[in-house]
Each structure stands twice: as structure tokens, then as C-alpha cells.
Amino acid sequence: MRKRQNPPVTLPPVPAAAAPAEPLAPATSDPADVEREAALARLFELHYSAMLRLAVLLGADDPENVVAEAYYQLYRKWRRLRETEAAEAYLRSTVCNLARMRIRHLQVARKHVENPPEDIIASAENTALLHDDQRVLIAALRQLPARQREALVLRHWLGLKESEIAAAMGISCGSVKTHTARGIAALTQAMEARR
């Protein structure tokens, strides 16, 4: 028994790709959208590294994602901003809130894990970059309650005023003073115990 061979299949010719009639333009033609995207690009260039450092100092385990989410939320709510100058403060406040929520989520998730991790291990690169005193300070800062840590980072790292810290954290100025004073006392005690 012989196998029957099929005749070769010929395909129709493929038409040549048509050259675009005009160069590709952004999908948005609304001037407000173009302005919003340009303003966000400027904010990203100016403040991304500062917001990333803020998220790291607040103890976020995934600071890049926290900052990206903060920029996304700002993008979504851009038209509701009363003043575009308030965008940086809104971004800073959003990073604080997201870092706090992320830490809270991880604490709850770790309670429900059978074998919780013993301790978060810093990467070799991060450890090598820090001097001994800095390592002690960062370790002591990580041991503080979240509100004290936030108040100290916003006050002494970003140099914000009490009213700006209160707005970023969503608390009163009196609470900012309390958290800052308690945080400083705890850090001082930890640093003196080291010596």
C-alpha cells in the first residue's frame, strides 16, 4: 500500500505593509491630559528617589511598589487636586499611608503563617553601604513603633514642619510632638546602650 502524497500548498502573497500616513501621536488629545502627564513626569524626575528613600526608612518591604502605587494614585486623582503645588505633599502623604498599610498587612499575614520568618535579612549591598553607627541607628529606627518612626523620618530626614508632618500622617500637631519626643528618647537610649 502506497501513501498518497498531497500536492504542495501555495499561500496567497502577503500584501506589503502600508506605511503609516502620519507619525504616531499620543492616544490622548485632551490638553488637560497632556498637561497632567507632563506634570507627573516632572514630579517623578524631581521626587522619585526621595519618595523611595522615604518608603525604605518607613520600613516598607517593597518600597518601589509603594512609590509606584503612590504615583498611580496621584495620577488618578490629579483633577481633584485643588492646587498642583500640593501634589508633592499628597505624594508624600500617600507614600506614608501605603507604607503603613503594607506593614500592617504583613504583620497580619505573618500571624497566620505556620512558620513566620525569624527576621528580615538585609541584602549584602545595603549592609556594605552603611557604616556601623548608621546600621545601629537604622536597626533602632526599625524597632520603633510605626508612628514614631514616621514622625522622626519626616521631621529629621525630610526636614518638614510639624504642620506638614501632621498633614502627611493624618494626626494633630500635638501628636506629632509626642511621637517625635518618644522616638528621639528611644533612639537616644538605643545609641547610648551601644556605646
Side-chain angles (χ1 to χ4, degrees), residues 4-185:
R4 196 171 96 180
Q5 290 185 346
N6 293 332
V9 177
T10 57
L11 298 174
V14 178
E22 57 187 63
L24 296 176
T28 60
S29 60
D30 185 12
D33 287 340
V34 173
E35 178 184 330
R36 171 178 61 171
E37 290 182 13
L40 280 168
R42 283 192 304 274
L43 273 172
F44 187 84
E45 289 174 10
L46 293 174
H47 301 291
Y48 176 77
S49 59
M51 294 301 148
L52 186 61
R53 286 188 202 109
L54 176 62
V56 168
L57 289 172
L58 292 178
D61 67 329
D62 56 349
E64 293 89 359
N65 289 337
V66 168
V67 174
E69 177 67 22
Y71 274 99
Y72 173 69
Q73 287 187 17
L74 179 62
Y75 176 80
R76 283 185 34 228
K77 297 178 182 179
W78 186 262
R79 291 185 180 155
R80 288 185 256 168
L81 285 177
R82 291 186 186 124
E83 299 172 3
T84 56
E85 292 78 29
E88 180 186 354
Y90 176 83
L91 192 61
R92 186 173 33 251
S93 177
T94 305
V95 168
C96 289
N97 289 335
L98 290 172
R100 189 179 316 120
M101 288 187 318
R102 180 72 179 145
I103 291 168
R104 201 174 299 135
H105 167 76
L106 289 175
Q107 289 171 345
V108 169
R110 286 181 182 143
K111 286 181 183 178
H112 299 306
V113 174
E114 290 180 20
N115 298 322
E118 294 298 319
D119 201 10
I120 297 173
I121 300 172
S123 69
E125 294 85 8
N126 287 341
T127 305
L129 292 175
L130 295 176
H131 295 296
D132 191 43
D133 286 343
Q134 290 174 325
R135 275 184 256 155
V136 171
L137 181 62
I138 296 294
L141 191 62
R142 286 185 178 145
Q143 299 302 316
L144 292 178
R147 291 295 187 160
Q148 290 178 16
R149 181 175 54 243
E150 287 178 31
L152 289 176
V153 168
L154 292 171
R155 175 71 181 113
H156 295 286
W157 184 74
L158 289 179
L160 298 180
K161 299 175 187 173
E162 285 177 2
S163 59
E164 293 172 323
I165 297 169
M169 293 177 66
I171 58 176
S172 68
C173 287
S175 294
V176 170
K177 291 178 185 178
T178 301
H179 290 308
T180 305
R182 289 179 182 167
I184 289 289

